[in-house]
Amino acid sequence: DAGVIQSPRHEVTEMGQEVTLRCKPISGHNSLFWYRQTMMRGLELLIYFNNNVPIDDSGMPEDRFSAKMPNASFSTLKIQPSEPRDSAVYFCASSLNGNTQYFGPGTRLTVL
Amino acid sequence: DAKTTQPPSMDCAEGRAANLPCNHSTISGNEYVYWYRQIHSQGPQYIIHGLKNNETNEMASLIITEDRKSSTLILPHATLRDTAVYYCIVMNTGNQFYFGTGTSLTVIP
């Protein structure tokens, strides 16, 4: 299995631009999680899906952030408009029935 | 979910066993203990998990005390590649992980 796939691996953008991060979970997994990691706040859960349905989005910082999971093999995290404080590493993870989570390599986002 | 307490940092000599402690005194009966590690700039990597019994796999051993209020992750023969931040997490099946600050393990040549 290829594991969790994230793209892009690095993204540099200017403040105000829209940013879309992508995630392909491990085939057969039915739970998907988006995390953000910064030096100040560590690893934070933003949102998670179960069977493509968002279950808990209480970690999403504000309305500028949105996440979708149109099917079992694809999810996006969108930031519009982006701000410098959104600079972080964003991780996607997947699991089967909420058990052991397997993480992708992350997307390093820099907003100038 | 129960919160965990870990020492912020530890050193270990290469080739020796690394014993990483974790306190989870408020753990409830159906919560699992999970260990992950994160090598710089990479995604967290699953190591091992357990409920009550001690567990061993190709990476490590997990020792859980009888009252389940603490556990120890053992890397039997630490190598330089084991230098990472190690996270101890307790979780109900289906619930979210809470990643604390972890233990930064440095393996010294």
Side-chain angles (χ1 to χ4, degrees):
Chain A
D1 199 319
V4 176
I5 298 172
Q6 291 187 248
S7 64
R9 294 294 309 278
H10 301 273
E11 177 80 31
V12 180
T13 191
E14 293 188 346
M15 183 174 64
Q17 296 297 306
E18 177 179 296
V19 174
T20 299
L21 311 181
R22 297 172 177 80
C23 175
K24 177 178 169 55
I26 292 172
S27 177
H29 282 187
N30 61 349
S31 297
L32 184 138
F33 307 80
W34 282 101
Y35 290 84
R36 177 174 68 175
Q37 186 172 35
T38 61
M39 288 293 292
M40 291 295 295
R41 300 175 67 90
L43 263 165
E44 304 173 279
L45 177 68
L46 300 177
I47 185 172
Y48 82 94
F49 295 84
N50 196 43
N51 295 321
N52 311 338
V53 176
I55 302 300
D56 184 350
D57 65 354
S58 60
M60 296 286 262
E62 49 197 274
D63 292 345
R64 297 184 297 106
F65 286 68
S66 62
K68 293 182 180 178
M69 192 164 185
N71 57 61
S73 58
F74 184 66
S75 177
T76 59
L77 178 67
K78 186 177 293 187
I79 308 172
Q80 166 63 20
S82 59
E83 296 182 3
R85 59 188 167 131
D86 301 330
S87 297
V89 182
Y90 290 82
F91 290 104
C92 175
S94 71
S95 74
L96 180 61
N97 298 325
N99 292 312
T100 303
Q101 293 182 27
Y102 295 90
F103 285 75
T107 295
R108 182 173 297 276
L109 173 65
T110 302
V111 183
L112 302 174
Chain B
D1 289 324
K3 295 294 174 24
T4 61
T5 304
Q6 299 177 252
S9 63
M10 293 181 63
D11 292 339
C12 177
E14 188 178 17
R16 303 297 294 268
N19 296 279
L20 292 91
C22 179
N23 286 323
H24 30 80
S25 58
T26 59
I27 193 170
S28 58
N30 56 352
E31 288 184 319
Y32 286 78
V33 179
Y34 277 81
W35 283 83
Y36 280 75
R37 72 181 182 185
Q38 187 173 25
I39 297 170
H40 183 61
S41 298
Q42 299 181 20
Q45 177 189 22
Y46 167 76
I47 301 173
I48 198 167
H49 75 283
L51 183 63
K52 287 189 256 188
N53 300 322
N54 298 337
E55 302 286 346
T56 295
N57 63 20
E58 65 279 2
M59 289 182 68
S61 295
L62 173 60
I63 308 298
I64 303 174
T65 58
E66 194 168 341
D67 64 6
R68 303 208 328 121
K69 292 186 177 181
S70 66
S71 61
T72 301
L73 178 75
I74 301 172
L75 308 178
H77 305 286
T79 71
L80 299 179
R81 288 176 296 179
D82 292 323
T83 292
V85 177
Y86 287 76
Y87 296 99
C88 169
I89 303 157
V90 293
M91 189 200 78
N92 271 330
T93 297
N95 287 0
Q96 304 96 310
F97 282 166
Y98 169 76
F99 283 83
T101 54
T103 295
S104 179
L105 174 70
T106 302
V107 180
I108 302 168

